[in-house]
Amino acid sequence: MHPIRTFNVSPSLPPRLEPLRKLAHNLYWDWNVEAKELFRRLDHDLWDASRHNPVLMLGTISQDRLREVTEDEGFLAQMDRAARQLQDYLADRVTDEVNRTPNWYHRQRPRQQDCYAYFSAEFGLVDCLPIYSGGLGVLAGDHLKSASDLGLPLVGVGLLYQKGYFSQHLGADGWQQENYPVNDFYNMPLHQEFQAEGKELRISLDLPGRQVHARVWRVQVGNVPLYLLDTNLPENNPYDQDITDQLYGGDLDMRIHQEIVLGIGGVKMLRALGLNVTAYHMNEGHSAFLSLERIRHMIQEEGLRFHEALQVAKASQLFTTHTPVPAGIDLFPPDKIMYYLGHYAETFGLTREEFLALGRARSGDTAAPFSMAILAIQMASFINGVSRLHGHVSRDMFQELWPGLPVPEVPITSITNGVHARSCVAKSTQDLYDRYLGPNWSEVLPENPLWERIKSIPDEELWRNHERCRLELVLFIREHLKRRLRERGASPAEILQAQEVLDPSVLTIGFARRFATYKRANLFLRDLDRIKRIILDFHKERFKGGMLEGKKRLVQFVFAGKAHPMDVPGKELIRDIIRFIREEGMRHSVVFIADYDIHVNRLMVAGCDVWLNNPRRPREASGTSGMKASMNGLPNLSVLDGWWDEADYIRTGWSIGHGEDYQDQEYQDTIEANALYDLLEQEVIPLFYSRDPEGLPRGWIAKMKDAIQLNCPHFNTARMVGEYAQRGYFPASDRCQQMRADQHAAARGLAQWKTYVSQHWREVKITSVDVAVGNVHQPTANYPAEVQVNQSIAVTAHVSLGALQPADVRVELYQGALGTNTEIVAGSVVRMEYKGQTDHGELVYSVQITYANSGLQGFSLRVLPCDQRLSNPYEMGLVTWAEG
């Protein structure tokens, strides 16, 4: 029966408990220990059953229990304290320079009116809001949390999925199965957005033959609002209702629909909300269509031409790539792009091929698909990878967009990922840090002397705290396995066995991440006999005194993670581990936790002893779970990939290999599996079980302290988001305001200048180069064979610019050592000084250089466009080199 009227029924709370409602609807409770413990205290079993959802709890808890806590003075005092903490937190992050000390953002940007929009296809904030699949989403969620901590004027933009990502179940044979529970938005920490007159706030998108409508929801993340679009409306046809059904679900048509709603719909939504956004951040390429909508609006509503609007869009947009391989990029066939988005080409005044070139590396390749990453790159003035190594990989992967530019100078930088400390560090460990480091440890940067206080934490106190975390993990795993076995209809004997898995005193190695083949979750199974010896009782002569007498040196593994529903090889990795557990009698020592989520991750990064990660280098863009483990004091055991490549992997863990790259993957697996076994046998296990007379592993504890001191402050979203702000958001906002000023005068002028320079760039030539070593002048063709280290060399160049002026260009000398292919390797740039013109109208540039190192060295000269309005000298992709 279809209802004729609907109501949203809110929980009925006694007036004294009204603060619970506000606490429940702001995700600040997720990283505020007082608030989270408050809801757990309200009803521990219901807290777990609701997937830690305080809104659902308040809607389902008995009125008797609510009346009971109104008489509980201890509960009320804790509630008032949590409510006060939320109120103070929110007040400290707003502008009030008269009555309050300015927060971090306002100290950096006094009197600025910025607004930054952060677009992402997924956000991992809390486990009761399952609109994320893995690391990309959790990184996005942590980004919002730290933006709130720092007081940044940032808003998130995403999609609200009716089913989100799948729930994972394992069959009796270990094969992953998926189901998609339906999210009940009205019992989640969500607010629906309404217009002033009380109507739902909605936006509409034009698609071929129809309009698609979406309503707007908000998740309040401290002071940062996350706005989410939802197309599940009766006005839409069934297909369009399902656009926001599943995260990364459906075929290529569904994917382009989702990315249209995210990018184009997101821009329309921000405008409908009345937000004056000054910088747009694309977290991966899924939202890159936002550029098209912004340009369309500037053309149709503000009277700009395409190339003028392009300057405004590009100047104020950032793009972060998380993809280390081309196969990870969304590609669409040209005909599909034109079918859904061809009307933008008409508005822009571009031909089909000109429009498609926005998403192609080579404009003349008419058969090439349309790349969302390339669209995002060509529409951004700040582009970054998510670790130092990933920056190198990205520059190499996208170098063809800047032909003629050496790979190290490709304008793709890196900002290494971080994690939100208060979200991932265990409660008891946070209490420990609060006592010994002070309450601000989670936001303090690496250079602060506060981190020296880590050494003051008593070894026994740190170790006993960690042992409690390990015990909590083991108890959780036992209950989790028993519940899953009951759901599967397992025998009573199997359920009883689950009560005995794992030993709370044994060295526990954790591995939890997406089950993709390149992450090699089954690498530890390369030599079954050897890993069984390691797990069951590693005992050799080199173990001397100081070991725990009469106790075996056992090892146990905890695995968790999901394979994409369409990734059969990834599912086979899970089945390999399950078969090993069953066929080799490893039920007590190796476990796989099904349905990995944020809650399971937090228990694992706190309760394991070592964090294992063994991807194929350089396929891991960054990785963040190992950062969370470090913050809890866990050493990492990892291949030198992603973030671990730039960490202190000697003092804070162990490296598998030395950063080698392999062509033969079979050979690589053999070498790195043996390296893993060697490290376990020779270093990890002995260090863990080496105890002093008090039963403490002093050497292990020292490594734990180093992991906290060196990794916690650096691999932290407080540092990361601050870096995005200073290097990305602030300059982009300034460029945006500059481009908009005086009715877009700067944008119009820059577009005109770029067009003129592009039209005349072929006229630019370096006509001659003279070199003087001492007082001897020679042309470069007769360059002297011998030059001494630090000997001064004068280089003079004659340059013909055609119709261009000296102010339009910069002339640079590019020098460095020569590699085996006679190319300059890792060259350095010296800008040449303009000296005037010759009688023939050529421009003269000169510079003095030296070589600090001996060996075969060389230099070349080049000309680049130059204008202060460019975000970087390589923005136009134009460069003219001297001919040898």
Side-chain angles (χ1 to χ4, degrees), residues 128-145:
C128 68
L129 196 59
I131 56 172
Y132 65 96
S133 71
L136 176 70
V138 176
L139 182 279
D142 283 3
H143 194 109
L144 301 192
K145 292 174 182 179

Side-chain angles (χ1 to χ4, degrees), residues 24 223 336 566 593 637 713 769:
N223 262 306
K336 195 176 293 295
M566 304 302 291
I593 307 176
L637 174 58
V769 181

Side-chain angles (χ1 to χ4, degrees), residues 246-277:
Q246 295 178 15
L247 173 61
Y248 304 140
D251 56 14
L252 208 57
D253 267 304
M254 180 55 72
R255 177 61 66 88
I256 198 170
H257 276 87
Q258 289 187 333
E259 297 187 359
I260 287 171
V261 174
L262 174 62
I264 297 173
V267 171
K268 286 176 172 281
M269 175 181 68
L270 293 172
R271 201 172 295 128
L273 288 163
L275 295 172
N276 181 24
V277 179

Side-chain angles (χ1 to χ4, degrees), residues 521-798:
N522 62 350
L523 184 69
F524 82 116
L525 301 177
R526 188 78 177 173
D527 184 334
L528 289 182
D529 290 337
R530 193 171 179 188
I531 192 61
K532 285 165 63 179
R533 287 198 304 271
I534 290 171
I535 290 172
L536 295 176
D537 183 10
F538 177 72
H539 185 61
K540 294 190 176 179
E541 290 300 321
R542 60 177 165 271
F543 281 109
K544 303 291 184 181
M547 301 296 293
L548 293 176
E549 295 298 328
K551 188 171 182 67
K552 292 183 176 182
R553 285 70 169 169
L554 302 175
V555 179
Q556 56 197 18
F557 286 84
V558 179
F559 288 87
K562 298 177 178 180
H564 187 279
M566 304 302 291
D567 184 3
V568 172
K571 292 182 178 182
E572 289 173 345
L573 293 177
I574 297 174
R575 188 168 60 180
D576 287 347
I577 294 171
I578 301 299
R579 283 179 173 173
F580 171 71
I581 294 170
R582 292 175 179 169
E583 295 174 5
E584 303 296 334
M586 294 289 161
R587 292 177 184 271
H588 294 289
S589 303
V590 184
V591 297
F592 187 96
I593 307 176
D595 208 23
Y596 182 51
D597 63 10
I598 288 175
H599 179 62
V600 173
N601 171 266
R602 291 175 181 176
L603 289 167
M604 287 185 65
V605 297
C608 291
D609 297 297
V610 177
W611 201 253
L612 175 63
N613 188 28
N614 41 239
R616 293 193 195 279
R617 174 186 163 105
R619 297 285 303 276
E620 188 81 87
S622 175
T624 52
S625 59
M627 300 174 183
K628 298 173 187 175
S630 269
M631 285 192 174
N632 283 279
L634 274 64
N636 274 259
L637 174 58
S638 176
V639 167
L640 291 179
D641 201 6
W643 77 280
W644 188 236
D645 183 64
E646 61 193 82
D648 187 333
Y649 48 79
I650 303 299
R651 292 174 60 187
T652 70
W654 301 270
S655 68
I656 301 172
H658 303 285
E660 302 90 347
D661 294 324
Y662 295 85
Q663 297 299 318
D664 185 334
Q665 292 187 353
E666 281 293 312
Y667 179 70
Q668 177 183 9
D669 290 351
T670 300
I671 293 295
E672 293 184 341
N674 286 330
L676 171 60
Y677 300 144
D678 289 345
L679 284 168
L680 289 172
E681 292 170 345
Q682 297 168 21
E683 298 192 38
V684 178
I685 298 171
L687 187 66
F688 181 84
Y689 284 110
S690 180
R691 307 295 171 95
D692 69 0
E694 297 176 340
L696 295 176
R698 298 286 182 178
W700 190 274
I701 294 169
K703 194 171 279 285
M704 290 178 66
K705 288 185 175 181
D706 281 342
I708 299 164
Q709 180 178 347
L710 299 178
N711 293 336
C712 188
H714 184 75
F715 299 104
N716 186 324
T717 44
R719 184 272 311 159
M720 181 196 81
V721 174
E723 202 170 338
Y724 272 110
Q726 291 175 322
R727 296 175 59 191
Y729 299 156
F730 299 168
S733 282
D734 291 342
R735 286 193 299 269
C736 179
Q737 291 169 16
Q738 178 190 11
M739 291 291 169
R740 287 176 172 175
D742 298 325
Q743 298 181 324
H744 300 95
R748 297 178 197 272
L750 181 58
Q752 184 179 10
W753 179 84
K754 278 186 172 183
T755 300
Y756 184 80
V757 169
S758 297
Q759 289 172 345
H760 294 281
W761 192 255
R762 291 182 182 178
E763 302 167 18
V764 175
K765 291 181 176 59
I766 298 173
T767 56
S768 67
V769 181
D770 290 325
V771 177
V773 181
N775 296 319
V776 180
H777 291 262
Q778 295 187 25
T780 55
N782 299 313
Y783 193 86
E786 294 293 335
V787 174
Q788 294 181 355
V789 169
N790 293 328
Q791 184 174 9
S792 180
I793 304 169
V795 181
T796 303
H798 289 190

Side-chain angles (χ1 to χ4, degrees), residues 247-546:
L247 173 61
Y248 304 140
D251 56 14
L252 208 57
D253 267 304
M254 180 55 72
R255 177 61 66 88
I256 198 170
H257 276 87
Q258 289 187 333
E259 297 187 359
I260 287 171
V261 174
L262 174 62
I264 297 173
V267 171
K268 286 176 172 281
M269 175 181 68
L270 293 172
R271 201 172 295 128
L273 288 163
L275 295 172
N276 181 24
V277 179
T278 56
Y280 292 76
H281 187 173
M282 297 171 277
N283 188 43
E284 257 308 338
H286 308 115
S287 61
F289 291 142
L290 69 86
S291 309
L292 308 181
E293 176 60 17
R294 291 192 64 207
I295 292 171
R296 180 205 65 78
H297 182 267
M298 285 185 275
I299 291 173
Q300 294 186 334
E301 305 296 328
E302 299 178 33
L304 299 185
R305 298 186 178 124
F306 169 72
H307 289 290
E308 296 166 345
L310 175 62
Q311 306 315 314
V312 182
K314 187 180 181 77
S316 54
Q317 290 176 184
L318 300 82
F319 171 54
T320 297
T321 173
H322 298 256
T323 307
V325 289
I329 295 171
D330 282 342
L331 302 174
F332 295 112
D335 288 345
K336 195 176 293 295
I337 289 290
M338 295 309 298
Y339 178 72
Y340 288 110
L341 299 162
H343 59 284
Y344 281 99
E346 296 176 13
T347 301
F348 297 171
L350 301 180
T351 65
R352 170 190 167 94
E353 295 308 322
E354 287 172 336
F355 182 71
L356 291 172
L358 298 176
R360 286 172 169 164
R362 294 181 298 275
S363 58
D365 186 357
T366 58
F370 189 93
S371 164
M372 295 299 286
I374 290 176
L375 174 64
I377 288 172
Q378 298 197 130
M379 292 288 176
S381 56
F382 181 89
I383 308 152
N384 72 284
V386 289
S387 70
R388 194 182 302 155
L389 178 59
H390 183 233
H392 294 308
V393 171
S394 299
R395 286 190 286 276
D396 189 61
M397 189 162 69
F398 295 112
Q399 191 270 340
E400 62 182 334
L401 288 168
W402 291 271
L405 201 62
V407 171
E409 291 192 281
V410 167
I412 299 177
T413 186
S414 63
I415 294 179
T416 301
N417 279 346
V419 294
H420 188 255
R422 289 285 184 183
S423 295
C424 67
V425 175
K427 174 186 179 296
S428 61
T429 310
Q430 288 192 43
D431 292 341
L432 195 65
Y433 297 168
D434 286 345
R435 285 201 302 277
Y436 288 96
L437 306 182
N440 297 320
W441 62 268
S442 60
E443 299 175 29
V444 172
L445 295 177
E447 59 272 12
N448 195 298
L450 170 147
W451 293 104
E452 290 294 324
R453 300 181 201 163
I454 287 290
K455 298 169 185 174
S456 69
I457 300 177
D459 285 359
E460 182 174 10
E461 196 169 351
L462 181 63
W463 183 245
R464 300 306 174 212
N465 173 74
H466 180 65
E467 288 189 313
R468 284 194 298 273
C469 292
R470 192 191 311 119
L471 175 61
E472 287 179 17
L473 173 65
V474 170
L475 295 177
F476 166 80
I477 289 171
R478 290 172 177 175
E479 289 302 314
H480 179 88
L481 291 176
K482 286 164 59 178
R483 185 170 64 252
R484 290 284 172 163
L485 287 167
R486 290 193 194 99
E487 292 171 355
R488 188 159 58 79
S491 67
E494 280 186 285
I495 296 172
L496 188 61
Q497 285 180 338
Q499 187 61 43
E500 300 175 356
V501 302
L502 304 182
D503 182 333
S505 66
V506 165
L507 172 62
T508 305
I509 299 174
F511 180 103
R513 52 193 31 87
R514 183 165 55 91
F515 269 65
T517 52
Y518 78 88
K519 293 178 183 282
R520 299 188 297 178
N522 62 350
L523 184 69
F524 82 116
L525 301 177
R526 188 78 177 173
D527 184 334
L528 289 182
D529 290 337
R530 193 171 179 188
I531 192 61
K532 285 165 63 179
R533 287 198 304 271
I534 290 171
I535 290 172
L536 295 176
D537 183 10
F538 177 72
H539 185 61
K540 294 190 176 179
E541 290 300 321
R542 60 177 165 271
F543 281 109
K544 303 291 184 181

Side-chain angles (χ1 to χ4, degrees), residues 803-819:
L804 302 183
Q805 299 299 313
D808 295 328
V809 301
R810 58 193 295 167
V811 180
E812 298 175 338
L813 184 142
Y814 185 79
Q815 69 178 112
L818 270 60

